[in-house]
Amino acid sequence: MAAFAPMGSGPVGIGFVGVGMISDTYLENLQSFPDVEVLILGDLDVDRARAQADKHGVPAAGTVADVLAHPGVELVINLTIPAAHVEVSSAAIAAGKHVWSEKPIGIDRESALALLEQADAAGLRVGIAPDTVLGPGIQSAKRAIERGDIGRPLFAQTSMQYQGPEVFHPNPAFLYAHGAGPLFDMGPYYLTSLVSILGPVAAVAAVGLTPSEEREILVGPDAGKTFPVEVPSTINVLATFEGGAQSQSLLSFDSPLRRQGFFEISGTEGTISLPDPNMFTGRAAITRPFSHRGDDPGIGAGTEQPWTDVPEEGVVVGRGLGALDMARAIRTGRPHRATGELGYHVLDTMVSAQESAARGAFVTVESTVDPIEAVPVDFDPFARTV
Ligand SMILES: NC(=O)c1ccc[n+]([C@@H]2O[C@H](COP(=O)([O-])OP(=O)(O)OC[C@H]3O[C@@H](n4cnc5c(N)ncnc54)[C@H](O)[C@@H]3O)[C@@H](O)[C@H]2O)c1
């Protein structure tokens, strides 16, 4: 990532573009952080922007152009749908604003890379969700692994399987369109966590399934209407990492069994069970090989294997944490954590997995990313620091 000089002083002015379902939680959290100030909301649907501004007490609302022209906005929060992410982020950069975008950074390598080049040339920052990975849950596990608590990481398993987002989302079609599906919609949580702990992915192989070409909306005013499925709704991904570790990840919107957030990493000295990477908090625990316990091996029939909790450290908040980290970084000139480079590497890995599923062969992941620093234990979102 490019080096940055400190910029500005006082709370960082924020404008939103896209204020749909996920905007409530962003607004609640960002408005509770003293280091940022939400100034204006914009959406293609201006009435929706006005309604959200009224609901959350934001002083202004309007079109996307109104947000980008607002002189106080330094950081744009892009909560549009994935197919619009690059276009909106690029417009924000062109308007001289830093941008935080919901995941994924984009839906193809070329436009996402061009966005990063545009931002670098302008001396502006790009930050990419998920920021759940920056929460105390995953961060406490990351710190434990970095301390050597499981020895050298060898392999990871993750699983995200359920019936699909039409069980809660009133407009789920975009989640089955090109650039979405379980790989692009949920994959970023698992892959971003894996990369931030195990380092960059070297190669991937994947197999995908599309059991049904059409699905039905289950909730909201359009319940009963059908929409097309353009991508695999189940995908299994094998990855090798530059550092030598391996992972296997199931991502499925076709499973009657609901099992989300299954995440384990086994190392030479222990296996760690990590919290759901789509959550900011959760239990992490380690179980160790027999030789380290010196007690009951715990391998007899019906014997529960002993687990030791990893203490969770840090203040638990929610979505907006990554944008706050970015806002503080803008003021001090330090690197932010959820970088565009990381978002791009995760996108590159997902596109490579999609290509592998289509081609039936391993695909080398060409991009890489620098090591990502853990969030300090004393990072307090509610403190005024700028
Ligand atoms: N809904 C969730 O639970 C959830 C959770 C985490 C992340 N996300 C991510 O957040 C993003 C938004 O998801 P959502 O569920 O809020 O979607 P949504 O469909 O509810 O809302 C998207 C909003 O963006 C607006 N929009 C679309 N294109 C635009 C454009 N070009 N310019 C301006 N506005 C535009 C739409 O009018 C709409 O108001 C997606 O990237 C999604 O992956 C959603």
Side-chain angles (χ1 to χ4, degrees):
M1 191 169 77
F4 293 101
M7 289 172 89
S9 62
V12 173
I14 283 184
F16 278 55
V17 175
V19 287
M21 189 172 174
I22 202 62
S23 63
D24 279 317
T25 179
Y26 268 93
L27 282 161
E28 282 157 19
N29 291 321
L30 285 171
Q31 289 198 299
S32 72
F33 303 154
D35 281 348
V36 296
E37 190 179 5
V38 182
L39 299 172
I40 183 167
L41 307 183
D43 198 292
L44 285 180
D45 181 341
V46 176
D47 289 339
R48 185 176 298 162
R50 288 213 182 92
Q52 283 296 78
D54 287 347
K55 181 174 168 190
H56 291 276
V58 176
T63 62
V64 176
D66 292 334
V67 175
L68 301 187
H70 193 297
V73 171
E74 295 166 81
L75 172 60
V76 168
I77 306 288
N78 175 2
L79 305 185
T80 61
I81 56 171
H85 283 173
V86 166
E87 181 195 329
V88 168
S89 296
S90 172
I93 298 287
K97 319 289 190 190
H98 305 281
V99 63
W100 168 270
S101 168
E102 251 306 328
K103 45 76 187 167
I105 182 173
I107 61 175
D108 65 84
R109 293 188 187 101
E110 296 71 23
S111 67
L113 208 49
L115 171 70
L116 295 186
E117 286 165 2
Q118 181 194 4
D120 266 356
L124 294 166
R125 297 176 187 250
V126 176
I128 303 294
D131 53 0
T132 47
V133 170
L134 301 179
I138 292 290
Q139 288 292 312
S140 297
K142 176 174 157 75
R143 287 186 213 103
I145 293 168
E146 287 174 354
R147 276 197 306 267
D149 288 8
I150 63 161
R152 180 165 55 88
L154 299 174
F155 63 90
Q157 291 147 286
T158 75
S159 182
M160 187 296 305
Q161 57 188 109
Y162 77 119
Q163 205 186 322
E166 63 268 43
V167 298
F168 69 86
H169 206 296
N171 308 303
F174 81 86
L175 294 162
Y176 289 89
H178 176 63
L183 176 62
F184 283 74
D185 182 46
M186 297 300 289
Y189 297 107
Y190 295 88
L191 290 167
T192 306
S193 306
L194 286 168
V195 170
S196 91
I197 293 169
L198 300 177
V201 176
V204 287
V207 286
L209 285 169
T210 309
S212 165
E213 301 290 330
E214 205 176 64
R215 297 177 74 123
E216 193 179 317
I217 299 176
L218 298 179
V219 296
D222 291 330
K225 287 189 186 161
T226 58
F227 59 88
V229 179
E230 298 174 5
V231 290
S233 46
T234 292
I235 189 156
N236 275 291
V237 183
L238 277 182
T240 60
F241 292 77
E242 287 179 17
Q246 305 175 351
S247 68
Q248 62 181 76
S249 296
L250 168 65
L251 295 150
S252 176
F253 289 165
D254 294 310
S255 168
L257 172 67
R258 186 182 176 92
R259 176 162 48 212
Q260 297 200 38
F262 177 83
F263 188 3
E264 288 176 356
I265 301 179
S266 289
T268 51
E269 308 287 327
T271 293
I272 184 166
S273 166
L274 294 95
D276 184 340
N278 188 13
M279 300 291 159
F280 287 81
T281 179
R283 180 183 180 220
I286 295 177
T287 191
R288 299 192 182 285
F290 174 46
S291 60
H292 283 249
R293 290 204 302 272
D295 54 14
D296 184 329
I299 50 174
T303 312
E304 184 73 19
Q305 198 170 351
W307 290 85
T308 307
D309 281 4
V310 176
E312 186 177 282
E313 294 175 296
V315 179
V316 178
V317 284
R319 286 185 165 80
L321 175 62
L324 172 66
D325 174 62
M326 206 176 156
R328 288 180 172 175
I330 289 168
R331 288 288 180 262
T332 62
R334 69 163 167 82
H336 58 284
R337 290 180 175 81
T339 59
E341 283 72 15
L342 173 58
Y344 178 76
H345 180 64
V346 167
L347 173 71
D348 190 14
T349 301
M350 296 190 298
V351 173
S352 300
Q354 202 175 38
E355 289 170 352
S356 169
R359 229 188 268 166
F362 268 93
V363 173
T364 300
V365 177
E366 300 290 344
S367 63
T368 189
V369 62
D370 289 337
I372 295 131
E373 257 188 50
V375 176
V377 174
D378 61 0
F379 187 95
D380 180 1
F382 302 109
R384 174 79 193 266
T385 71
V386 298

